[in-house]
Amino acid sequence: MAAGDLTVLQFSTQSTANLTAKVHPLVIFNICDCYVRRPDQAERVIGTLLGSVLPDGTVDIRNSYAVPHTESAEQVALDIEYHHNMLVSHQKVNPKEVIVGWYSTGLGVTGGSALIHDFYSREVPNPVHLTVDTGFRNGEGTIRAYVSVNLSLGDRQLAAQFQEIPLDLRMVEAERVGFDILKTMAADKLPTDLEGMEVTMQRLLALIDDIYKYVDDVVEGRVAADNSIGRFISDTVAALPKLTPPAFDKLVNDSLQDQLLLLYLSSITRTQLGLAEKLNTAAQIL
Amino acid sequence: MAASSTARSFLQVAATEEVVSPLRVVQIEGLVILKIIKHCKEFSPALVTGQLLGLDVGSVLEVTNCFPFPIREEDEEIEADGANYQLEMMRCLREVNVDNNTVGWYQSTILGSYQTVELIETFMNYQENIRRCVCIIYDPSRSNQGVLALKALKLSDSFMELYRANSFTGEKLREKNLSWVDIFEEIPIKVSNSALISAFMTELESDTPVTQCDYDRLQLSSNPYMERNMEFLIECMDDLSMEQQKFQYHYRNLSRQQAQQQSWLQKRRAENMARKAAGEEPLPEEDPANPIFKPIPEPSRLESFLITNQISNYCNQINGVAGQSFNRLYLMKALHDN
């Protein structure tokens, strides 16, 4: 501590400035399932995250598996052989998925986590640590992602800090499956085509109603007009193709006729099948 | 006395077989559905398979986890590798308390063309070891239309008996009253999720009133899908007509053989009359060594049944998609009028 020689505590932030993580819904499902099935004496579950690093630097987390571990106040023991076995098995199916980090349930980052993070950073250069709060301690389920950042004082390495990185939780696939199925505890049956169509149309109707209400409100001065929304609405309405009524009718009727033709064809085929069946098995061998 | 009577009743109880309640519902966890979708979608258009794990409880088959199979190369050493992989995965999953029973397998398909002989053979293989197994078929090409095309299939019992006996003649089928509809049984699927997951999902769901699913469903262009369906349908009709021709050929052979038998019999009878007149021993009226008496095997009807199943599947799909298209077209019409 010579005078005039000020050392500054540095956070090295350049590499982690624009790192984001994207999590697929399957990972959350996996983690919750492992947590529900954990052995009785374990308080939390630890596991490996698999995925890939996209060209723009985002870490895409696509799959995960739990790793048995034992934890006590002073030390943490992870079953490394299990971890390697599972990794090899998973890579047999999908060689493109590599380790990108690890997860643990529970709200914060504990002392033991630093050791585990150390172990994972020996496997991957910059592992991502995902915490999933299954205890809902903040009144909501928080999912956070961290990377380890080195704190250095001058030239000396002091410690590593867990720094939070933004997490993208958009669930496009889950939406495809239908949130209704995934949200409730029991869904009695999968929706058929027509039921799904009905639900979609109802949603569309609700949207159109909302827009009507909004426009009415703006016209009557109840709500302040927002120009950008107005422009969106006018763009949408203008996106309907400008066809003259006869041309449009012709288009619709042609498509209708095509569909009817296909329906007719398939009905004929089924009748034919029924007939053929009767003939085939009814024929007696004399 | 009481002790011996209870002992007897215990023996009696142990001797009576448990009545197997018929499988009514397959209960799948959301986790399994997501895993299946992910695996099938990643490798589409290649067809992939995987194993289902779960529990068999009464009339409900619960599927709680699954794992995918690696793409199988046509190599002998990799066969043993595949078995090793399976054992390894089951062992590892056992350590984290996942249910370790195999209850079936899943596979992806293209446009519903899954009724093949291999499917039946796989079913028979599984059925030998497991009392109840189910096959889940997922069609990733239909998810582009916003439909979750997931089906649970099981072979019907009567069909399995026939298959084991390996006889698909018309006689047997008529006896059992089995037609092509009875080969596969479709079982309704129920979805269940643990409370933790449903809490998370309820919270994480983005509040948009419209989801990606809706965008997919409202797409107007269903033509490419219909075209492919029709192509497959036409191919199947060709296959079916080939099978019919095989039958016709068989019948023609059969009737020709019977005509030959009749003429031979008559000749024998005439000969016997001549011999009786001459006082010699009549020759037997049957001659098993003569090749015209050899029974011609009837071609198996299994293929035609399977093809018929596939055709009806395509027809159903066409009907479904056509129904959706009608909805969309009328919607467009209404919008345009406004």
Side-chain angles (χ1 to χ4, degrees):
Chain A
M1 307 287 187
D5 203 4
L6 285 173
T7 48
V8 178
L9 194 64
Q10 290 179 353
F11 297 84
S12 65
T13 50
Q14 44 308 32
S15 57
T16 60
N18 43 12
L19 190 64
T20 54
K22 198 160 104 127
V23 174
H24 284 236
L26 177 62
V27 175
I28 313 273
F29 268 79
N30 250 334
I31 297 180
C32 289
D33 188 60
C34 293
Y35 181 75
V36 171
R37 287 177 191 275
R38 70 188 187 288
D40 288 327
Q41 64 275 23
E43 256 189 32
R44 60 176 186 160
V45 182
I46 294 188
T48 314
L49 292 172
L50 298 172
S52 59
V53 179
L54 299 176
D56 63 353
T58 319
V59 177
D60 191 27
I61 306 179
R62 279 197 243 126
N63 206 346
S64 68
Y65 58 83
V67 179
H69 76 286
T70 48
E71 197 171 354
S72 60
E74 306 91 24
Q75 55 169 341
V76 183
L78 204 60
D79 193 346
I80 300 187
E81 195 189 317
Y82 180 93
H83 160 73
H84 275 303
N85 281 341
M86 281 293 255
L87 180 65
V88 164
S89 298
H90 275 258
Q91 289 204 317
K92 273 197 204 153
V93 178
N94 205 342
K96 279 185 285 190
E97 284 186 358
V98 292
I99 305 183
V100 293
W102 63 290
Y103 70 82
S104 84
T105 59
L107 183 51
V109 180
T110 66
S113 309
L115 295 169
I116 306 182
H117 199 85
D118 215 15
F119 162 70
Y120 275 97
S121 40
R122 264 177 265 139
E123 310 239 350
V124 174
N126 202 359
V128 173
H129 173 43
L130 195 70
T131 58
V132 175
D133 182 18
T134 49
F136 284 78
R137 243 167 287 171
N138 282 349
E140 54 173 28
T142 38
I143 304 184
R144 293 222 182 94
Y146 302 94
V147 279
S148 146
V149 159
N150 286 326
L151 292 177
S152 54
L153 189 64
D155 285 333
R156 283 181 309 161
Q157 284 269 330
L158 266 193
Q161 183 208 35
F162 276 113
Q163 198 178 47
E164 193 173 338
I165 60 176
L167 194 57
D168 181 10
L169 279 174
R170 268 175 319 126
M171 310 198 164
V172 178
E173 296 142 24
E175 287 182 359
R176 281 235 163 105
V177 171
F179 267 123
D180 315 321
I181 299 186
L182 294 174
K183 248 198 307 181
T184 61
M185 287 209 359
D188 269 337
K189 58 187 185 75
L190 298 177
T192 64
D193 306 349
L194 290 181
E195 287 172 10
M197 203 63 194
E198 200 181 319
V199 168
T200 306
M201 299 241 236
Q202 278 173 357
R203 287 209 195 117
L204 190 61
L205 199 58
L207 277 181
I208 297 184
D209 279 341
D210 279 344
I211 295 187
Y212 259 137
K213 230 167 35 116
Y214 176 77
V215 170
D216 280 343
D217 285 344
V218 167
V219 163
E220 304 201 2
R222 270 178 291 196
V223 172
D226 190 350
N227 281 341
S228 56
I229 296 189
R231 253 178 253 132
F232 262 134
I233 297 184
S234 68
D235 278 344
T236 317
V237 173
L240 282 177
K242 291 265 182 304
L243 296 173
T244 59
F248 184 76
D249 279 340
K250 183 168 182 316
L251 205 59
V252 169
N253 285 336
D254 279 347
S255 316
L256 265 180
Q257 279 185 336
D258 286 342
Q259 305 290 341
L260 281 173
L261 173 69
L262 287 176
L263 263 181
Y264 181 62
L265 212 64
S266 74
S267 319
I268 286 191
T269 318
R270 298 177 82 180
T271 323
Q272 158 71 29
L273 288 179
L275 266 181
E277 184 52 37
K278 287 274 180 294
L279 285 176
N280 272 341
T281 46
Q284 301 271 357
I285 309 227
L286 303 159
Chain B
M1 282 317 290
S4 63
S5 65
T6 43
R8 222 182 304 131
S9 62
F10 176 73
L11 264 179
Q12 283 175 352
V13 165
T16 53
E17 263 189 28
E18 286 177 18
V19 175
V20 176
S21 47
L23 182 58
R24 256 182 259 288
V25 158
V26 173
Q27 188 171 306
I28 307 191
E29 292 218 351
L31 171 67
V32 175
I33 295 187
L34 275 183
K35 269 190 170 177
I36 295 180
I37 294 181
K38 168 178 182 289
H39 184 218
C40 295
K41 207 175 350 180
E42 266 176 10
F43 286 95
S44 94
L47 302 178
V48 290
T49 58
Q51 183 99 298
L52 295 172
L53 308 166
L55 291 170
D56 185 4
V57 181
S59 67
V60 176
L61 189 66
E62 294 188 18
V63 180
T64 50
N65 213 328
C66 67
F67 62 83
F69 284 148
I71 309 259
R72 194 94 63 88
E73 317 283 328
E74 298 301 327
D75 203 352
E76 272 315 310
E77 339 177 311
I78 318 244
E79 285 282 335
D81 231 10
N84 276 345
Y85 169 81
Q86 219 174 331
L87 289 172
E88 188 67 34
M89 273 307 254
M90 305 267 276
R91 195 177 60 81
C92 290
L93 287 176
R94 176 78 219 129
E95 283 190 33
V96 275
N97 287 340
V98 175
D99 299 323
N100 215 3
N101 307 327
T102 310
V103 292
W105 83 102
Y106 68 85
Q107 66 182 55
S108 69
T109 170
I110 302 187
L111 277 188
S113 58
Y114 52 85
Q115 288 100 339
T116 57
V117 188
E118 286 97 22
L119 184 68
I120 298 189
E121 285 177 7
T122 322
F123 246 119
M124 299 309 287
N125 279 341
Y126 268 91
Q127 198 77 15
E128 287 173 17
N129 302 333
I130 317 168
R131 205 174 56 162
R132 265 220 281 246
C133 70
V134 77
C135 172
I136 296 199
I137 308 268
Y138 175 67
D139 194 348
S141 51
R142 293 206 70 193
S143 59
N144 294 342
Q145 310 220 320
V147 175
L148 180 60
L150 210 62
K151 259 203 265 212
L153 284 185
K154 185 173 100 74
L155 280 185
S156 65
D157 295 328
S158 39
F159 177 76
M160 277 198 294
E161 284 170 26
L162 265 186
Y163 191 76
R164 279 199 198 115
N166 209 359
S167 62
F168 283 108
T169 58
E171 294 280 325
K172 290 271 169 52
L173 292 168
R174 237 172 304 131
E175 258 175 53
K176 298 256 182 177
N177 211 4
L178 197 71
S179 79
W180 54 269
V181 195
D182 298 324
I183 297 188
F184 294 109
E185 252 176 58
E186 192 178 326
I187 308 178
I189 297 184
K190 240 167 69 148
V191 180
S192 79
N193 285 312
S194 68
L196 186 61
I197 279 282
S198 71
F200 261 106
M201 281 291 129
T202 318
E203 190 181 308
L204 293 173
E205 173 196 342
S206 45
D207 268 336
T208 57
V210 175
T211 61
Q212 180 69 28
C213 193
D214 298 320
Y215 289 138
D216 289 335
R217 278 196 203 126
L218 286 176
Q219 260 192 13
L220 275 181
S221 95
S222 58
N223 281 347
Y225 179 75
M226 295 289 247
E227 279 170 22
R228 279 177 72 194
N229 233 332
M230 290 305 282
E231 271 178 33
F232 281 16
L233 189 63
I234 294 177
E235 274 179 30
C236 266
M237 292 303 274
D238 283 341
D239 288 339
L240 190 63
S241 67
M242 267 190 349
E243 292 283 321
Q244 304 280 45
Q245 278 179 357
K246 270 195 232 167
F247 272 119
Q248 283 182 339
Y249 187 62
H250 167 78
Y251 277 134
R252 254 194 309 224
N253 280 349
L254 206 59
S255 48
R256 203 174 32 189
Q257 190 195 46
Q258 285 190 338
Q260 280 178 338
Q261 284 177 6
Q262 290 292 0
S263 66
W264 185 89
L265 203 57
Q266 290 204 339
K267 265 192 291 190
R268 255 305 154 85
R269 289 218 180 103
E271 232 179 280
N272 279 345
M273 301 287 262
R275 283 190 165 211
K276 234 196 290 186
E280 291 175 7
E281 279 288 317
L283 291 170
E285 293 206 340
E286 283 186 10
D287 190 3
N290 204 332
I292 57 177
F293 278 107
K294 200 165 55 169
I296 306 183
E298 197 177 320
S300 154
R301 295 179 192 274
L302 184 61
E303 270 301 317
S304 59
F305 273 7
L306 287 176
I307 297 182
T308 318
N309 256 329
Q310 265 185 285
I311 294 184
S312 100
N313 212 10
Y314 292 143
C315 290
N316 284 341
Q317 277 175 204
I318 292 184
N319 285 351
V321 178
Q324 277 190 319
S325 314
F326 281 144
N327 285 340
R328 288 193 284 251
L329 283 173
Y330 278 116
L331 184 66
M332 269 299 289
K333 207 162 158 172
L335 269 180
H336 195 253
D337 287 341
N338 284 345

